[in-house]
Amino acid sequence: MQQEAQVPQTKRDVYLELLSREGLCHWIDEDGDVAFWSSGHLFVLFPNERDRDLFQIAAPNIWTFGPDESERAFMAANSLSLHVSMVKAVLVGNFHVWLSIEQFLVSEKDAVRFLRTAIDTLLYAKNQFIDEVRQTRPLLLPHLGTH
């Protein structure tokens, strides 16, 4: 009997299967990324096939700000990136803030365990960012240099 060669799954296929098993509403967006809803929030998984070990997830557009608020948004993003492990806060050119996590995984099976942690971490980071940016007092970053 001849065995059929297994076609390796793409990362997109792995992500779609994972989200289906988790019961999360998902779709492929216009860029070919995998978008999904969890806990009432939008997330995006980036299935970069050139780097099979890299797990990338983002919470897009968590905050919108005007040109006069960019300094406050920048300060809050810096503070968040310094104080919340693994999370990067990025201000994009159209006055939106995105949060992301990038993690190298040993195997695609690790994505199953990591997905829930990443979602919870991004939700926590979103709340921290919003709390920080809404503060009325000036935002202060810890002094990291030497005197």
Side-chain angles (χ1 to χ4, degrees):
M1 214 189 235
Q2 200 174 24
Q3 283 187 333
E4 288 183 35
Q6 278 193 336
V7 177
Q9 281 187 305
T10 65
K11 278 174 76 174
R12 182 177 294 114
D13 292 338
V14 170
Y15 291 161
L16 292 171
E17 184 179 305
L18 169 61
L19 295 170
S20 291
R21 274 198 320 263
E22 293 294 315
L24 297 170
C25 177
H26 59 277
W27 63 96
I28 298 173
D29 71 11
E30 64 276 357
D31 297 326
D33 301 318
V34 179
F36 67 98
W37 289 97
S38 179
S39 304
H41 299 276
L42 177 65
F43 296 92
V44 179
L45 291 166
F46 302 99
N48 181 350
E49 294 299 333
R50 290 174 295 175
D51 196 344
R52 300 274 306 176
D53 297 334
L54 184 62
F55 178 91
Q56 297 172 288
I57 184 172
N61 304 325
I62 63 130
W63 188 262
T64 302
F65 58 94
D68 58 326
E69 300 168 308
S70 60
E71 183 176 354
R72 180 171 282 292
F74 178 77
M75 296 283 288
N78 270 354
S79 180
L80 184 76
S81 294
L82 283 169
H83 295 103
V84 180
S85 298
M86 297 179 24
V87 174
K88 290 193 288 187
V90 179
L91 279 63
V92 294
N94 57 353
F95 301 109
H96 292 283
V97 177
W98 284 45
L99 302 178
S100 69
I101 293 176
E102 296 178 348
Q103 174 73 38
F104 287 107
L105 302 177
V106 175
S107 74
E108 290 171 354
K109 291 180 183 177
D110 291 337
V112 174
R113 290 192 327 246
F114 188 68
L115 179 65
R116 179 50 50 196
T117 300
I119 291 169
D120 290 345
T121 302
L122 288 170
L123 290 173
Y124 170 78
K126 176 183 177 177
N127 290 332
Q128 292 297 111
F129 178 87
I130 291 169
D131 288 348
E132 184 91 3
V133 83
R134 285 184 175 164
Q135 289 181 11
T136 55
R137 63 180 170 76
L139 301 174
L140 300 175
L141 294 176
H143 179 67
L144 300 175
T146 57
H147 294 283

